[in-house]
Amino acid sequence: MLLLSPTDIHQVFSMKDAIEADKLAFRLFSEGKTEVPLRTQIVSEKQNGTFLFMPAYAPDLDAAALKIINIFPDNIDKDLSSAPAQVLLVDGKNGYVNALLDGATVTQLRTGAASGVALDLLGRKDAKSGALIGTGGQAATQLEAMLCIRTLETVFVYDQNPERTRDFAKKMDHELKRYGTKILPAATSDEAIREADLIITVTPATSPVFDGSKVKAGATVSCVGSYQPHMQEMDPVILERAAKIYFDSEEAVLSEAGDILIPLEEGRITKDDFTGDIGDVLTGKIVGRELADEIIVFKTVGIGAQDLVTAQKIYERACEMKIGTKWS
Ligand SMILES: NC(=O)c1ccc[n+]([C@@H]2O[C@H](COP(=O)([O-])OP(=O)(O)OC[C@H]3O[C@@H](n4cnc5c(N)ncnc54)[C@H](O)[C@@H]3O)[C@@H](O)[C@H]2O)c1
């Protein structure tokens, strides 16, 4: 079995690679070529935590995986990650576990890549400006994915914590310099999104993080944060204004994401407003953007197929490059 640390993974796998891996994952998922049972959630009231178990199997890749990612918000006070995670990768030909990968790194890559795939397929080709709301653990790969798929002049970032907003913008402006995009802090979320062609929200918010009426025509919004019925970062106004609404998996989104469940419950949208899953755009079964000025929303909660394909591709690359630690 190969042990792959965050450093090992970054040595062998880029955001561009992750976007290609997610494209394959979404395609396989939509073609019915993956088995991805809904993830199992166990809530620990005792520790204010949630254990998440995410299995997946793809016969075409001869691979299966189980990601364990546990959401423990109080960990921050203990100087621990609020989402510790590992991915167990299984050889589909014989059932042996062939790798253990740092799950936080896999998650950051594949979650950023989901926005990358959606914004690439659905965003305006001439997009010049981006916005990122939320500057926590997932934010850096979200931002990099946005920069990977379009040549942007500016991205405004906003977090409810002004210090984090400033620090993140400064750090990313330096670390992602090679993309040639100016990363700037915004004083409010509305300021951040005002000129944006591409918008990503990645917060655990329980009320909308920007005013949907201020989003400009032609914008594409990727909503990453909400994964429980009470969580909502998207202003329902943006759903009412959207010409098209896509998902990573409609079934998964409707099983957990307040971003969609709350406006459905309130009658502000109906299931007829849903366009479909992003994998069906990749296979050509449904259309993507048709008009320059339509507003498009993509909601992702993350599916096991992304972890599986991403982990498998990292593992293959690590074997080729002889990176990682052998165990037993
Ligand atoms: N869709 C997926 O596949 C996927 C994968 C991983 C994580 N997530 C979810 O994405 C969300 C963010 O994850 P993270 O690890 O970056 O979290 P984090 O706790 O590290 O950071 C969240 C950030 O959001 C900011 N924030 C909270 N409310 C805000 C608001 N109203 N306006 C602006 N900023 C606000 C916080 O200040 C914080 O900086 C979580 O809900 C997480 O569960 C989704």
Side-chain angles (χ1 to χ4, degrees):
M1 183 164 84
L2 197 61
L3 305 178
L4 292 167
S5 70
T7 311
D8 297 334
I9 294 172
H10 286 301
Q11 234 176 306
V12 303
F13 214 67
S14 68
M15 177 48 72
K16 265 204 157 63
D17 297 327
I19 290 174
E20 288 311 309
D22 263 10
K23 278 188 181 162
L24 177 58
F26 291 139
R27 204 176 312 124
L28 289 173
F29 176 73
S30 286
E31 287 172 346
K33 292 179 174 172
T34 57
E35 275 190 45
V36 186
L38 287 181
R39 65 187 172 198
T40 301
Q41 291 198 27
I42 303 176
V43 173
S44 163
E45 280 173 17
K46 186 178 169 203
Q47 300 293 349
N48 183 30
T50 309
F51 306 100
L52 295 174
F53 301 91
M54 302 173 69
Y57 172 48
D60 284 12
L61 301 184
D62 275 327
L66 174 68
K67 182 166 81 171
I68 303 173
I69 179 162
N70 304 318
I71 314 294
F72 279 65
D74 301 342
N75 275 1
I76 277 182
D77 304 329
K78 303 172 199 156
D79 219 11
L80 294 171
S81 162
S82 56
Q86 303 294 341
V87 179
L88 280 173
L89 185 66
V90 181
D91 187 330
K93 294 193 283 297
N94 55 31
Y96 276 73
V97 173
N98 53 16
L100 177 67
L101 298 91
D102 177 69
T105 310
V106 173
T107 303
Q108 287 162 346
L109 283 166
R110 68 73 148 153
T111 306
S115 288
V117 172
L119 295 178
D120 191 19
L121 283 178
L122 307 172
R124 286 176 64 128
K125 296 288 174 224
D126 62 353
K128 285 280 166 281
S129 177
L132 175 73
I133 314 291
T135 63
Q138 296 300 322
T141 48
Q142 293 292 327
L143 178 58
E144 185 172 3
M146 198 190 271
L147 302 188
C148 254
I149 56 96
R150 291 289 183 279
T151 306
L152 300 178
E153 288 165 5
T154 48
V155 175
F156 282 95
V157 301
Y158 171 78
D159 193 287
Q160 64 182 5
N161 179 323
E163 202 182 324
R164 214 162 24 236
T165 304
R166 271 195 311 275
D167 292 351
F168 180 84
K170 194 169 166 207
K171 184 166 176 263
M172 290 296 117
D173 192 56
H174 177 69
E175 278 183 17
L176 300 176
K177 216 173 198 59
R178 64 186 178 282
Y179 290 99
T181 304
K182 202 81 208 114
I183 314 298
L184 297 164
T188 64
S189 59
D190 291 346
E191 182 188 307
I193 57 129
R194 199 167 39 213
E195 291 302 320
D197 303 300
L198 308 177
I199 300 171
I200 295 176
T201 57
V202 60
T203 75
T206 49
S207 59
V209 298
F210 63 81
D211 179 347
S213 68
K214 302 230 163 77
V215 170
K216 83 175 192 190
T220 309
V221 189
S222 175
C223 296
V224 180
S226 90
Y227 69 97
Q228 286 184 346
H230 71 286
M231 293 172 86
Q232 187 182 31
E233 50 178 1
M234 201 174 7
D235 183 349
V237 170
I238 195 68
L239 291 168
E240 291 167 342
R241 291 181 64 203
K244 299 190 172 92
I245 301 171
Y246 298 88
F247 307 103
D248 51 2
S249 157
E250 180 175 329
E251 187 194 7
V253 168
L254 290 181
S255 78
E256 52 187 55
D259 265 336
I260 299 295
L261 292 174
I262 295 168
L264 263 182
E265 177 91 14
E266 291 171 352
R268 300 182 71 155
I269 51 168
T270 71
K271 289 186 179 177
D272 291 340
D273 296 315
F274 300 164
T275 316
D277 288 354
I278 196 76
D280 289 330
V281 182
L282 284 159
T283 60
K285 195 170 153 198
I286 58 173
V287 292
R289 175 176 291 278
E290 292 168 292
L291 302 170
D293 66 351
E294 58 191 4
I295 288 177
I296 296 183
V297 169
F298 170 67
K299 172 63 199 161
T300 170
V301 288
I303 53 173
Q306 291 169 262
D307 297 300
L308 168 60
V309 178
T310 306
Q312 176 68 19
K313 296 292 168 191
I314 292 169
Y315 172 68
E316 286 170 10
R317 191 72 62 76
C319 291
E320 276 163 34
M321 295 174 67
K322 301 198 179 349
I323 298 289
T325 306
K326 285 229 161 93
W327 182 71
S328 82

